[in-house]
Amino acid sequence: MQRTEVVFPLEDGDGFKKKLLLWAQQYAEVIWLDSNDYKHLYPTFDAVLAVDALTAIKTDHHRAFDDLKEYQTTTADWIFGYLSYDLKNDVEQLTSANPDHLHFPDLYFFQPKKIIFIRGNTAVFRYMPMVDDEVKDDFETVCNIKETDNVDGHKRVEKGAVKARIPKEAYLEKVEQLLAHIHRGDIYEANFCQEFYAEDAEFSPLRAFSGLNAISRPPFAAYLKLEDKYLLSASPERYLKRTGNRVVSQPIKGTARRAESPEEDRKLKDELENTPKERSENIMIVDLVRNDLSVKAKKGSVQVEELCGVYTFEQVHQLVSTVVAEVEDNTPSVDIIRSTFPMGSMTGAPKISAMKIIEQLEVTKRGLYSGAVGYFTPSGDFDFNVVIRSILYNEENHYISFTVGGAITAGSVPEKEYEECMVKARAMRKVLEE
């Protein structure tokens, strides 16, 4: 569909972004993706807002990728949405039997009437013809919003309301069980996760997202509001990006905390880069990603562009690798995603065995956590993050959830794995309770 494009110069790009998110809250469907000016590889835009669905698809896992493929090719337009982790059941003969307290659809995409891109100090409005007469008024309305306005209030979760779904001793025991599987040769790495939650809770999603984003300033932040379901994501990880015939995956594995002292911070960063256990986590997943990409890639085109690069974020240092591949002309985009989903950094290896084992040991359905949020362009290009460092909220039943996890390998020490989870959980707990 042909969209009307209007470009406006911005005097204050960051200020406009804040106002834009406030303005967007009037709509039932909102997706905001923000790079936070992080200088990562393969940027597309600084930020983008998509609102107000003309059409949408939401479904469970059954034939979900086929339905998405039909929807994406039929619309031939920008579509924004998410893929939940449990679409694994559409890709392989797997099940998700753990309790689901959030009740998000397994897949949800919509075709927005209004899209606004931020590139440097410009705002690019791309509106459908039926609403393009609103462009100028919308821009002026956004500019006139006061940043102190907060349309969803200032509610916080009560101190102590956030609980761990798995007690510490049970978590340590489950890691020991995973180590037993590894020593038996069933798997050699598994991403094991635990949920933190609050029931009968109300809070301000937009305020919480702003706080979470300010704490972490990640390259793949996402705010999603779809009717009464919310995702607030400070993700540092890209799952998969397609530009033309080039496909890029950037798995993260290997984590070290930050330190206030520059000298200690550098030491922690150096230790991360040179610790065999941390590097092995990453390298095993890189091998898995190479294998996944090879399913649809041109023969011999899969390459590791960067292995175990150390990237620094506000809360942690992490090892990031970049794997690239070329696909043939006219390779359907949804087929590329289907052949690589779920992302290896959130499963383990071998992938199917790891998914079966973690399904047995985890006690809640992952849902959107460790899934992906992103978009398709009219030409079929796409870009998706990995849903980690994220808060999920079902406004109707007042249920708040965030999940953290880590890679368990033969070198894992259960107590240290638990400590890593607590480091990762700190930012989410802080924005909910403070």
Side-chain angles (χ1 to χ4, degrees), residues 112 125 309 389:
F125 283 58
R389 315 288 201 278

Side-chain angles (χ1 to χ4, degrees), residues 32 70 117 124-126 130-131 133 151 259 297 401 425:
W32 167 255
E70 180 181 2
F117 297 90
V124 182
F125 283 58
R126 290 185 184 168
M130 73 280 290
V131 293
D133 59 333
V151 294
S401 170

Side-chain angles (χ1 to χ4, degrees), residues 104-156:
F104 280 50
D106 288 338
L107 179 148
Y108 196 140
F109 279 83
F110 72 95
Q111 180 186 18
K113 295 177 189 174
K114 302 179 179 183
I115 309 174
I116 302 169
F117 297 90
I118 307 297
R119 293 192 176 99
N121 287 318
T122 61
V124 182
F125 283 58
R126 290 185 184 168
Y127 278 28
M128 286 186 163
M130 73 280 290
V131 293
D132 63 6
D133 59 333
E134 300 175 21
V135 169
K136 185 178 179 183
D137 286 346
D138 284 352
F139 176 72
E140 291 177 353
T141 299
V142 173
C143 289
N144 290 328
I145 289 175
K146 293 181 176 62
E147 289 185 38
T148 53
D149 294 343
N150 193 334
V151 294
D152 68 353
H154 296 275
K155 291 175 287 189
R156 289 169 170 79

Side-chain angles (χ1 to χ4, degrees), residues 201-433:
E202 294 185 24
F203 78 123
S204 305
L206 186 57
R207 182 200 61 79
F209 172 73
S210 297
L212 188 63
N213 194 45
I215 289 170
S216 303
R217 296 198 59 78
F220 300 103
Y223 173 90
L224 180 152
K225 171 192 173 187
L226 295 172
E227 301 163 29
D228 62 346
K229 310 294 194 303
Y230 290 82
L231 166 75
L232 324 173
S233 178
S235 175
E237 184 173 0
R238 169 179 276 139
Y239 158 44
L240 204 62
K241 176 182 174 70
R242 178 181 187 171
T243 306
N245 286 352
R246 189 173 180 81
V247 180
V248 179
S249 182
Q250 294 179 292
I252 291 179
K253 270 287 165 277
T255 305
R257 64 179 177 87
R258 298 293 309 275
E260 291 185 9
S261 161
E263 183 177 345
E264 185 183 357
D265 201 49
R266 282 194 299 272
K267 181 182 177 183
L268 291 168
K269 186 175 179 179
D270 290 343
E271 287 177 354
L272 174 63
E273 185 173 17
N274 296 296
T275 300
K277 187 261 181 186
E278 302 291 346
R279 291 183 64 85
S280 69
E281 284 185 18
N282 194 291
I283 291 168
M284 282 188 267
I285 297 305
V286 166
D287 282 343
L288 190 157
V289 170
R290 290 171 61 217
N291 183 68
D292 283 350
L293 288 177
S294 70
V295 174
K296 293 296 179 183
K298 292 180 181 177
K299 187 174 181 180
S301 72
V302 179
Q303 302 291 330
V304 179
E305 193 169 86
E306 181 180 31
L307 183 64
C308 296
V310 182
Y311 286 72
T312 297
F313 304 96
E314 295 291 328
Q315 300 289 306
V316 292
H317 302 293
Q318 298 208 275
L319 296 181
V320 183
S321 294
T322 299
V323 188
V324 300
E326 296 287 329
V327 296
E328 298 287 354
D329 294 343
N330 303 317
T331 302
S333 288
V334 173
D335 288 353
I336 298 170
I337 295 171
R338 188 196 326 238
S339 67
T340 61
F341 196 84
M343 60 292 300
S345 62
M346 298 308 297
T347 60
K351 184 186 275 190
I352 296 174
S353 296
M355 287 192 288
K356 288 179 178 178
I357 292 168
I358 58 182
E359 176 69 25
Q360 294 168 1
L361 293 175
E362 292 177 359
V363 298
T364 47
K365 180 179 176 180
R366 286 194 183 182
L368 182 47
Y369 173 76
S370 70
V373 170
Y375 63 87
F376 292 89
T377 72
S379 66
D381 287 352
F382 59 77
D383 199 2
F384 286 87
N385 74 359
V386 178
V387 179
I388 52 177
R389 315 288 201 278
S390 301
I391 297 168
L392 292 158
Y393 179 44
N394 183 319
E395 188 175 37
E396 183 179 12
N397 66 11
H398 307 296
Y399 188 86
I400 300 170
S401 170
F402 65 87
T403 301
V404 295
I408 311 302
T409 65
S412 291
V413 176
E415 190 75 36
K416 288 185 177 180
E417 295 297 337
Y418 185 81
E419 290 172 4
E420 181 180 318
C421 285
M422 295 305 105
V423 169
K424 291 175 178 177
R426 191 178 299 151
M428 277 87 76
R429 187 186 289 274
K430 181 177 180 180
V431 299
L432 287 172
E433 296 183 342

